[in-house]
């Protein structure tokens, strides 16, 4: 199977939204509105980073996956640190468990690092994301702005010691709150 990863383009949006919708259609812990979140993030110029919205292409023609990293802040008192949120990563059901999500995550993390970002936060499966180096965000004193089990709220440093003196509550962009 030939899969390539490239930046999402405006003309991909309709197809990408369908991929995201299909990927979460049968997920137990989903509200089935992830595609709406993606659309809202794209419209949020303060959070959207076009270079970190990636698609997986099967045989150079069909979009089968998507990942999005967007800007967030970690706030502690009057101190604020920029970070990224990984949300969501989506793969069409018939292409899941074939390594495409892994390819998307690795490429997105690498691009984020190249663009100078220092860390990424994810709310996700505690058995999946640690494979990429994510650890409980609480290890750095980083908290979600809502109640979640400690093991599903994770962070990764893209630069060594990037979170060493960072703690506080994550502030997601308004796209997450609508």
């Amino acid at each position: 199977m030939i899969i390539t990863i490239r930046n999402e383009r405006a003309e991909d949006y309709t197809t990408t939204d369908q991929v995201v919708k299909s990927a979460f259609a049968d997920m137990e812990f989903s509200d089935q509105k992830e595609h709406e979140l993606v659309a809202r993030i794209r419209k949020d110029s303060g959070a959207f980073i076009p270079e970190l919205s990636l698609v997986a292409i099967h045989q150079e023609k069909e979009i089968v996956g998507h990942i999005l990293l967007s800007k967030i802040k970690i706030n502690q008192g009057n101190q604020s640190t920029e970070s990224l949120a990984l949300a969501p990563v989506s793969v069409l059901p018939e292409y899941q468990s074939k390594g495409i999500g892994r390819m998307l995550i690795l490429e997105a993390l690498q691009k984020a690092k190249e663009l100078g970002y220092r860390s990424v936060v994810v709310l996700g499966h505690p058995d999946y994301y640690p494979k990429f180096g994510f650890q409980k965000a609480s290890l750095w004193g980083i908290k979600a702005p809502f109640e979640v089990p400690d093991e599903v709220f994770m962070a990764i440093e893209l630069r060594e010691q990037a979170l060493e003196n960072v703690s506080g509550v994550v502030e997601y962009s308004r796209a997450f709150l609508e």
Side-chain angles (χ1 to χ4, degrees):
M1 178 169 33
I2 299 170
I3 299 291
T4 54
I5 308 293
R6 67 161 168 78
N7 283 0
E8 181 189 38
R9 303 175 189 138
E11 60 267 23
D12 298 329
Y13 289 177
T14 302
T15 304
T16 300
D17 290 349
Q18 276 306 124
V19 168
V20 176
K21 192 173 185 177
S22 296
F24 287 95
D26 296 325
M27 293 288 172
E28 181 182 351
F29 298 106
S30 167
D31 63 3
Q32 279 75 45
K33 294 183 179 180
E34 287 80 3
H35 62 291
E36 294 174 14
L37 172 63
V38 169
R40 289 193 308 268
I41 292 171
R42 284 191 201 111
K43 292 176 186 167
D44 186 345
S45 60
F48 183 58
I49 308 160
E51 299 87 351
L52 296 178
S53 184
L54 307 175
V55 291
I57 310 292
H58 179 246
Q59 297 185 338
E60 298 184 19
K61 58 184 177 206
E62 180 187 12
I63 295 175
V64 298
H66 175 257
I67 192 169
L68 182 60
L69 299 180
S70 59
K71 292 180 188 176
I72 60 167
K73 293 177 183 168
I74 303 168
N75 296 320
Q76 178 70 39
N78 60 359
Q79 190 173 344
S80 184
T81 303
E82 187 175 69
S83 186
L84 298 171
L86 188 167
V89 59
S90 313
V91 177
L92 285 174
E94 60 269 29
Y95 289 91
Q96 291 175 5
S97 301
K98 299 183 186 312
I100 296 169
R102 177 179 183 74
M103 290 172 67
L104 284 163
I105 291 168
L106 291 173
E107 183 70 16
L109 293 176
Q110 182 59 39
K111 281 194 171 221
K113 185 175 181 176
E114 290 168 6
L115 289 170
Y117 292 96
R118 301 174 52 82
S119 63
V120 179
V121 171
V122 68
L123 176 62
H125 199 285
D127 294 332
Y128 184 67
Y129 288 96
K131 296 174 186 178
F132 303 97
F134 283 90
Q135 300 177 65
K136 292 178 192 175
S138 61
L139 294 172
W140 293 281
I142 299 169
K143 300 175 185 78
F146 39 76
E147 284 293 318
V148 293
D150 191 47
E151 66 273 6
V152 302
F153 194 66
M154 296 169 268
I156 187 172
E157 295 177 311
L158 299 177
R159 302 256 186 262
E160 197 172 317
Q161 309 291 310
L163 295 172
E164 186 175 348
N165 296 310
V166 176
S167 65
V169 178
V170 167
E171 178 186 330
Y172 288 97
S173 73
R174 65 183 176 272
F176 283 84
L177 307 174
E178 294 175 10

